[in-house]
Amino acid sequence: QHNAGTSFYSFAKRFSPCATRACWQEGKHCMVSYDEEVEAENIRHNYRKHGVQYVSYELMLPPRFPLPFVSEAARRGLFFTTIVRDPFKRFMTYVRRHNFVDSGFGETSPFWIDLMGNRGIYLGDNLNARWLSGAQDRISSDHVNVAKCRLQLFDLVIADKLYDYAVTKVMCPLNGWKGRGVCVDNVTTAEHHSKPDPLKNRTDKHLIGAWVERLRPSFEIYDYARILSWRQLRERGVEDLPELSEVPSYMRTLAEYADAKMTKAHFRKIRRVSLENEDYFAPPVELCNRMKQIWTSNPDEVPSAYGI
C-alpha cells in the first residue's frame, strides 16, 4: 500500500500483522533497495519470517523508486493499492490543525506557510502530485504525468469517496477477512460524520480561490484516480457504485468555495470526468514506457526517502 493513511492502516491491523516502511516504528519494514526485485524479496522475507502480510509505504516516493513494481517477477504474489484524496480535503485537514478563526489574513494563517519559511512534507501543497512523483519544488506537467503513470501500475486505486466499497467488496474478500465491524456484506450508504468546515463563509474567497488554483495539478491527478478507481472496482465485480461525478473536481471546488459561476457553456467546452474520456486524462504512453524502463533498471542501492 502507498499512502494508506490512518484509517486504512488501522483497518488492516485488525486482521493481520502490519508494518510501515519506517524502520524506527514498532512494525518495521525497512526499504532496502532501488532494485525492484531486491525490494520485492525484502517484502516476501518479512512475510515468511515475521508474518507481515500488509506493508504501508507511507512516504513521498523518490522519483526512481519502483512502486508499484513493474516486472511480473517482482510483482509475483503481491497486490498494490493506494488511496487518493480530494486535494482540497487534504488542505482543509492542514487548516484544521491550525485552528485559525480569522478571515485568512492573520499572521498565523496557514495560507502564508511559504512566507513563514515553514517547510516539511506535510506542509507542502499538492501532496497528491508530490507523493506520487517525488517533486519537491515547482510542479511541472511531467510530474503530473509521472504520478499518473504510477497510478496505472496499482492493482487497485482507491478514490476517497469509494473507500468503503474498496474495503468491503475487494480488500476483505481478497484477504479472507471477515467481521470486526468492517468486513460485512453490505456497504453503508449513510453519510459519514463530517467535521466542521473551517473555511466556508469564514475565509476570504480570493485566498481560497488562489489555493484552489495552486492545487490544480493534484486535482488533475485526483480526477484520473477517480476514473481508475471506479473502473477497477467495476472490473472486480463491485456493483451499486455511486455515479461517477463528471464535473472536474477543480471546477466543483471553485464553485463551492469561491462562488465561481459554472454554466452549460462551460460544460460544452470541457472534458467530463468519465470512463469514456479516460484516454484524455491518461498520461502519454511514451512517458510511461520510459519511466518503466527507469524503474526496472535501478541499481541495488538503499533509497533516500522523505516522509514519516
Side-chain angles (χ1 to χ4, degrees):
Q1 173 101 28
H2 176 246
N3 192 25
T6 305
S7 296
F8 195 96
Y9 189 81
S10 298
F11 149 69
K13 201 171 182 179
R14 298 184 192 184
F15 298 93
S16 167
C18 299
T20 70
R21 71 95 198 168
C23 296
W24 56 87
Q25 294 189 2
E26 182 179 351
K28 299 177 181 178
H29 174 81
C30 300
M31 296 168 63
V32 299
S33 182
Y34 275 114
D35 185 308
E36 64 172 2
E37 295 195 20
V38 175
E39 183 66 19
E41 186 54 34
N42 179 38
I43 295 175
R44 298 187 186 102
H45 170 78
N46 283 343
Y47 173 70
R48 292 190 296 264
K49 185 173 182 180
H50 304 291
V52 175
Q53 184 178 348
Y54 168 85
V55 175
S56 173
Y57 287 80
E58 198 73 10
L59 74 158
M60 177 193 285
L61 293 171
R64 288 195 294 122
F65 188 71
L67 193 79
F69 303 147
V70 178
S71 69
E72 291 186 13
R75 294 177 72 99
R76 177 178 53 82
L78 303 176
F79 187 86
F80 294 90
T81 65
T82 189
I83 296 175
V84 183
R85 286 185 66 192
D86 180 324
F88 198 70
K89 300 294 184 186
R90 277 190 174 277
F91 177 66
M92 285 204 294
T93 297
Y94 177 72
V95 169
R96 286 191 186 98
R97 289 172 181 167
H98 281 72
N99 194 32
F100 80 102
V101 294
D102 58 37
S103 61
F105 290 101
E107 67 277 4
T108 61
S109 168
F111 290 92
W112 311 119
I113 55 174
D114 293 346
L115 299 181
M116 296 176 196
N118 294 339
R119 304 279 293 181
I121 182 61
Y122 288 109
L123 299 182
D125 62 311
N126 280 293
L127 291 187
N128 285 352
R130 297 185 188 282
W131 278 50
L132 286 164
S133 72
Q136 296 186 58
D137 296 311
R138 188 181 66 85
I139 294 174
S140 68
S141 59
D142 282 345
H143 290 126
V144 171
N145 284 322
V146 167
K148 291 180 179 181
C149 291
R150 280 200 197 271
L151 286 178
Q152 289 181 342
L153 291 171
F154 284 97
D155 295 293
L156 181 62
V157 174
I158 304 175
D160 50 6
K161 295 191 176 184
L162 297 176
Y163 175 86
D164 290 338
Y165 292 87
V167 168
T168 303
K169 298 298 185 180
V170 177
M171 301 307 297
C172 289
L174 179 71
N175 292 284
W177 296 338
K178 297 181 180 179
R180 305 197 181 184
V182 180
C183 292
V184 294
D185 292 335
N186 298 314
V187 177
T188 179
T189 56
E191 288 286 332
H192 288 280
H193 174 69
S194 297
K195 297 178 181 178
D197 193 311
L199 299 177
K200 190 173 288 186
N201 301 322
R202 298 174 61 186
T203 305
D204 186 277
K205 292 181 174 59
H206 294 90
L207 282 179
I208 298 178
W211 265 87
V212 172
E213 177 63 28
R214 183 171 181 172
L215 295 172
R216 195 164 184 168
S218 284
F219 278 118
E220 182 178 338
I221 294 167
Y222 176 62
D223 283 341
Y224 185 52
R226 291 198 294 127
I227 294 173
L228 291 177
S229 184
W230 205 92
R231 175 173 58 77
Q232 289 172 346
L233 287 170
R234 283 296 297 269
E235 290 173 350
R236 292 186 176 277
V238 180
E239 300 178 350
D240 301 322
L241 289 170
E243 288 188 12
L244 177 63
S245 172
E246 295 187 345
V247 180
S249 53
Y250 164 77
M251 296 183 69
R252 177 190 55 76
T253 307
L254 275 180
E256 183 175 358
Y257 283 91
D259 287 345
K261 305 301 180 185
M262 304 299 168
T263 67
K264 290 183 179 180
H266 285 92
F267 296 103
R268 286 195 292 269
K269 297 288 186 180
I270 67 169
R271 294 293 184 107
R272 295 177 181 268
V273 182
S274 65
L275 297 185
E276 292 75 18
N277 288 330
E278 180 175 348
D279 288 345
Y280 173 80
F281 288 92
V285 175
E286 299 79 7
L287 176 63
C288 291
N289 288 338
R290 181 182 175 190
M291 292 308 303
K292 288 176 183 177
Q293 291 177 350
I294 293 172
W295 290 329
T296 55
S297 60
N298 283 318
D300 183 8
E301 299 174 351
V302 177
S304 299
Y306 302 89
I308 63 172

